[in-house]
Structure formats: structure tokens, C-alpha cells
Amino acid sequence: QVQLVESGGGLVQAGGSLRLSCAASRRTVSNYAMAWFRQAQGEEREFVAAISRSGSNTYYTVSVKGRFTISRDNAKNTVYLQMNSLTPEDTAVYYCAADSGGYVGSSRYGYERWGQGTQVTVSS
């Protein structure tokens, strides 16, 4: 099974940018549809973005559309989440998820593998 490790989180001021990375090991990431979820303290884990195996199709939750971009570099076995125009409402632990069946939906239960998460904190 693929193993996922997120990085790139941190503290940023409102209006700033961060790029998260999700590095895959043990399996080729091109075999998996990939997604990013986030979970704010005391809240449910919510869908942020997803990308198909080839990278030709991407999906976003409404609140991040136009600000966040999901991408993948299958040669580097890595998936990215570029986050621009960050607001305090984006503060959360961000998780990378993978599904070998190609699922790119918004349900957390559709993904079979998860990373450990990386904290993103946006100050006002």
C-alpha cells in the first residue's frame, strides 16, 4: 500500500500563500487518485480538492475555488496543494488521501490511504 507524507504547513498571515506537498512511497502515485482534506479543531474532516490519476481532472470545494490549486508530478511521486489568498478560516490540519480505485469525490470514506497531516495556521 502507498504511504503518504505531507509537508509544507506552517504559520502564515492572512493573504499569504503556502504550498503543501504529499510525497508517496511504496507504490507509484500515478496509480492513485489523490485528494486533500482538512480538519479544523472541533470540526469534521472536510474535502478540499481532488485530482484524477492522470491529473487531467481536478475538483474543488466551493470555498477554495480560485484560491487553491491541486496538482501532481507523477515522476516525482508527489501531489501538491498551492494555497493563495489564505484566510483565518483556512486554519486546519491538512491531510493527503489516496484511492486506488480512482475515486475523486468529496467523501472521506472513498479514500483508502491517508497521511498524518500537516498544520496550517493563518493569522489575521
Side-chain angles (χ1 to χ4, degrees), residues 36 38 46-50 58-68 84 90 106:
W36 288 94
R38 66 187 180 186
E46 68 169 354
F47 172 81
V48 175
T58 58
Y59 309 87
Y60 299 92
T61 192
V62 171
S63 63
V64 309
K65 201 170 291 186
R67 299 189 299 124
F68 291 11
N84 299 328
D90 295 315
S106 61

Side-chain angles (χ1 to χ4, degrees), residues 33 37-39 56 59 73-74 92-93 99 105 110-112 124:
F37 283 72
R38 66 187 180 186
Q39 187 166 16
S56 58
Y59 309 87
D73 186 338
N74 287 340
V93 177
D99 182 63
Y111 296 90
E112 57 194 10
S124 57

